[in-house]
Amino acid sequence: MKKTILSALPAVAAAVLLAGCCTGEKSCSANACFTLPAGQTGTASSEKVNQFFDVGPLAKDIKLPSDNVYPLGSKFPFSFYSVGGGSTNKRGELLPEAEKLADQDRILAGGVTLVGPQYELNKEVVDLAKRGKVKAIYTINPVVDGEKMSGSKIFDKWARARKPIQWDKIKASIAEQVKAVANNPEIAYWDLTPEELRPWRKNEMKFIEIGAQAIRDNDPLKRPIMMYDPGHRNASSLATTCKHLNFVAKGMYTNYSGQKFKRVWNRYSVAQMTGARKLLNREKDLTVLALPEMFQQPKTAEELKMVPTWVRYDAYSSLSSGAQGILVFSASKRKNFAAWDAYLDAWLTVCKELTGPANIGKAFIFGERRSDLTLDQTQGPKEVKITAARKEHTFPGLTMDNIAFDHMRYVFAVNNTTEPVAGVIDGLPYSSEIKVRPLWGGGETMTVPEGNWEFELPPYGVAGWVIYREK
């Protein structure tokens, strides 16, 4: 008999679990902030059970420093652009100091491991990181003859004026900016700007190569370098722009891109980034960052209620597709964006799951994907299609990830459709010593002696479980 994960839950609790849409700090104590059981070895009476769990990387074998973020450390990268920036009057205007600091403190308390990129607040990003005991993403923006290189169109301006590009001045400006802050250990990443440089423009690609090298030449700690790419870039374009960088970071603003009801766009976006990594043969040293959306006001009250579900789906669909960190764009307050609080609560809830006591994020950056569990979809659309780059792309309606890490298994089920789905996960060894615990949303720890359990998910629902042996 299959175990049904919702069999013991009342209807209201079941709905919360299925949507995965709890928000705010109060929910944390009930679900995401539990401490996972320690990795265990050889404790089951069945050898088949032990063989199932004794695979994959171990936490104790991670050699990266515990006080830094991936890829230089073992912490999961989670950040917001423009922490404490903006105002509800106009873009670029800053809040009163007390309100700005309150916003910053709220986000720091939410479990972020990084702050930035900060744009208008870049000068204070190091101090903010020190204050919050986290790391910073520091933006480098060259200045040539007193003019900041703002946007890719600076190259068009120089071309129209028939002005040769002054590469020496660009390198000197970058060197000066890096040297001025290089002794701050709070800086974890460099953010090279201007952004959105065009892969078909040779001078712009030369800028990335020269700019990245100038940073490395003047940074004794050799910290990794990122640059923001726009959402429409495909794998081939990203392979060109990221050739000399350490990250591939493409915007994936689902609602803004017109994919509100085809959110599998997230999977397509991450596929372009992992595709770029494959084209460059850099699958081990090019880190994929998800850049999801937090700036579009929902159009209706019903859509506003969907924000927690959208956020959870955007996060976990990205991670299950191969992302290794999350930079949310953005925490800046802006005009006509009353949903800022709702979005922030939802993103901080996910942040606590990934970086808090349960530390789910480590499974995504260090765990090993396994194929010894099966997913049988029993209800709902089996496929979902989107059109991107003039082509139709097909994705599974329901996906499952099975990740081995530290003698445990992390299993995630993601509904990529706008309809309810159901499924059965099977393949665990027959044993009453195996425990299956929901990673969020409440719900009781299960035993599944026959090796399987059923589940249901609402539109864009996400479920996660940790599976372990009981001592």
Side-chain angles (χ1 to χ4, degrees):
M1 179 181 295
K2 299 180 181 68
K3 184 78 171 184
T4 302
I5 190 168
L6 299 178
S7 58
L9 293 175
V12 173
V16 172
L17 173 62
L18 288 177
C21 62
C22 50
T23 59
E25 294 191 15
K26 290 183 180 179
S27 66
C28 181
S29 61
N31 51 71
C33 287
F34 66 79
T35 301
L36 292 178
Q40 301 171 56
T41 58
T43 58
S45 59
S46 166
E47 188 57 31
K48 286 186 177 180
V49 172
N50 292 327
Q51 289 174 354
F52 178 81
F53 286 104
D54 294 336
V55 295
L58 303 180
K60 68 180 181 64
D61 292 333
I62 298 172
K63 303 304 181 184
L64 296 171
S66 61
D67 61 348
N68 206 345
V69 291
Y70 189 81
L72 294 183
S74 63
K75 288 185 177 181
F76 181 85
F78 199 111
S79 187
F80 290 83
Y81 276 74
S82 301
V83 177
S87 83
T88 55
N89 293 322
K90 66 178 182 179
R91 192 170 180 179
E93 184 178 87
L94 296 183
L95 295 166
E97 189 70 11
E99 186 177 353
K100 183 180 72 174
L101 291 177
D103 289 348
Q104 291 174 346
D105 286 343
R106 180 177 173 184
I107 288 169
L108 289 166
V112 295
T113 53
L114 289 157
V115 290
Q118 282 293 81
Y119 292 140
E120 64 265 42
L121 295 174
N122 192 53
K123 289 183 178 179
E124 62 183 72
V125 70
V126 171
D127 290 337
L128 174 60
K130 288 180 182 178
R131 185 166 168 268
K133 297 181 180 179
V134 294
K135 296 294 182 179
I137 302 175
Y138 193 91
T139 299
I140 299 297
N141 183 206
V143 178
V144 179
D145 293 335
E147 181 181 19
K148 288 185 177 181
M149 292 181 64
S150 180
S152 61
K153 291 185 178 180
I154 187 68
F155 291 94
D156 296 334
K157 179 181 177 180
W158 290 339
R160 286 193 302 270
R162 297 186 179 181
K163 183 177 180 179
I165 298 174
Q166 301 181 73
W167 297 112
D168 288 345
K169 288 185 178 181
I170 290 173
K171 288 190 286 187
S173 178
I174 292 173
E176 180 183 10
Q177 291 181 39
V178 172
K179 287 177 181 178
V181 294
N183 64 344
N184 288 288
E186 289 79 17
I187 295 174
Y189 306 166
W190 302 106
D191 173 36
L192 180 62
T193 65
E195 304 172 334
E196 302 190 21
L197 298 183
R198 296 163 291 193
W200 59 91
R201 296 290 181 91
K202 291 183 179 180
N203 280 335
E204 293 177 35
M205 296 304 97
K206 182 177 179 180
F207 168 82
I208 298 175
E209 180 180 5
I210 286 177
Q213 191 57 51
I215 291 173
R216 294 186 178 105
D217 288 345
N218 292 281
D219 176 21
L221 299 182
K222 307 302 179 188
R223 286 161 283 204
I225 305 165
M226 64 170 283
M227 184 193 76
Y228 169 83
D229 267 298
H232 60 272
R233 293 282 160 79
N234 61 21
S236 177
S237 295
L238 292 169
T240 302
T241 58
C242 296
K243 182 178 180 180
H244 302 287
L245 304 175
N246 304 100
F247 299 97
V248 52
K250 181 184 85 68
M252 39 191 299
Y253 310 143
T254 314
N255 292 15
Y256 179 76
S257 301
Q259 306 289 350
K260 184 184 300 182
F261 303 112
K262 291 189 176 180
R263 304 191 81 83
V264 77
W265 168 259
N266 291 308
R267 290 187 175 275
Y268 169 80
S269 289
V270 176
Q272 303 317 300
M273 293 191 278
T274 57
R277 189 169 60 180
K278 187 174 182 179
L279 287 172
L280 292 169
N281 195 25
R282 293 181 58 193
E283 292 166 296
K284 292 185 178 180
D285 74 329
L286 186 62
T287 300
V288 175
L289 298 176
L291 272 63
E293 173 184 87
M294 179 179 153
F295 60 85
Q296 284 267 300
Q297 179 65 25
K299 292 183 178 180
T300 66
E302 290 304 311
E303 284 191 0
L304 181 60
K305 292 178 182 177
M306 287 295 294
V307 165
T309 298
W310 286 347
V311 164
R312 181 169 297 278
Y313 176 83
D314 291 355
Y316 284 99
S317 64
S318 302
L319 293 170
S320 67
S321 301
Q324 298 160 290
I326 295 176
L327 307 185
V328 181
F329 187 88
S330 74
S332 178
K333 288 183 173 174
R334 58 187 70 216
K335 193 175 182 179
N336 300 321
F337 185 47
W340 184 87
D341 271 300
Y343 267 102
L344 186 62
D345 277 346
W347 276 116
L348 290 179
T349 297
V350 171
C351 180
K352 286 178 182 178
E353 294 163 8
L354 295 170
T355 69
N359 217 358
I360 299 170
K362 281 191 175 181
F364 285 108
I365 55 177
F366 297 113
E368 176 185 275
R369 307 284 174 133
R370 305 283 295 182
S371 59
D372 49 3
L373 295 177
T374 62
L375 170 65
D376 180 20
Q377 184 175 342
T378 57
Q379 176 188 332
K382 297 292 181 70
E383 294 181 344
V384 58
K385 300 178 185 293
I386 63 167
T387 300
R390 302 189 188 92
K391 294 181 180 179
E392 188 174 70
H393 304 267
T394 302
F395 294 87
L398 177 64
T399 55
M400 179 193 71
D401 291 278
N402 166 22
I403 302 173
F405 178 64
D406 208 26
H407 296 300
M408 291 177 283
R409 292 297 180 92
Y410 295 78
V411 175
F412 301 91
V414 180
N415 179 3
N416 299 307
T417 80
T418 57
E419 299 180 34
V421 300
V424 179
I425 295 173
D426 203 348
L428 289 173
Y430 282 27
S431 173
S432 59
E433 296 175 283
I434 296 175
K435 302 297 180 182
V436 180
R437 179 173 185 168
L439 284 166
W440 57 74
E444 297 181 0
T445 302
M446 301 182 292
T447 56
V448 286
E450 294 185 17
N452 55 55
W453 72 96
E454 297 176 321
F455 65 93
E456 300 171 4
L457 291 173
Y460 294 129
V462 182
W465 303 271
V466 62
I467 308 173
Y468 60 97
R469 292 168 289 190
E470 187 175 49
K471 282 189 177 181

